[in-house]
Amino acid sequence: MSIVAKVEEKLFQNRYKVDGGKPHIQIKDADICRHCDSHACTVCCPAGCWTMEGNGNVTVISDGCLECGTCRIICNEHRNVAWEYPRGGYGILFKFG
């Protein structure tokens, strides 16, 4: 018998140490996001850090970010993501490596 675990259950095992006031991901120009046709960042982020609000604004909350870099890769047309690794001691803390 195989045991099936959902991705959300596995992600819940990880912890994230927030670096208050110093997010490692930011939107360079919010106006560019408003006029983007795909908003792929809101769909592709495995941690769900990117969301589209009802008024058309895209927001990013880096708490819980897996630091995979998907957002900066998927935004290759506009290159509107300012992304860097968190300072030492902050960011994702993987439970299983």
Side-chain angles (χ1 to χ4, degrees):
M1 174 172 24
S2 66
I3 299 173
V4 178
K6 295 181 180 180
V7 171
E8 293 83 9
E9 293 171 359
K10 291 187 180 255
L11 290 175
F12 183 73
Q13 300 294 320
N14 299 323
R15 296 292 174 249
Y16 191 87
K17 187 171 180 186
V18 177
D19 190 0
K22 298 184 182 197
H24 69 283
I25 303 171
Q26 295 180 339
I27 297 171
K28 293 178 183 177
D29 183 352
D31 194 47
I32 290 174
C33 290
R34 272 189 229 97
H35 295 95
C36 177
D37 293 328
S38 69
H39 295 106
C41 57
T42 63
V43 179
C44 294
C45 177
C49 295
W50 294 79
T51 57
M52 170 112 93
E53 298 176 3
N55 60 5
N57 290 336
V58 174
T59 58
V60 59
I61 300 174
S62 61
D63 300 1
C65 175
L66 301 174
E67 300 169 22
C68 65
T70 300
C71 55
R72 66 181 172 171
I73 293 169
I74 204 73
C75 188
N76 64 345
E77 180 181 345
H78 303 292
R79 301 193 190 284
N80 198 32
V81 178
W83 193 101
E84 59 186 39
Y85 285 105
R87 292 187 308 150
Y90 293 95
I92 189 77
L93 304 170
F94 293 103
K95 182 173 184 176
F96 297 111

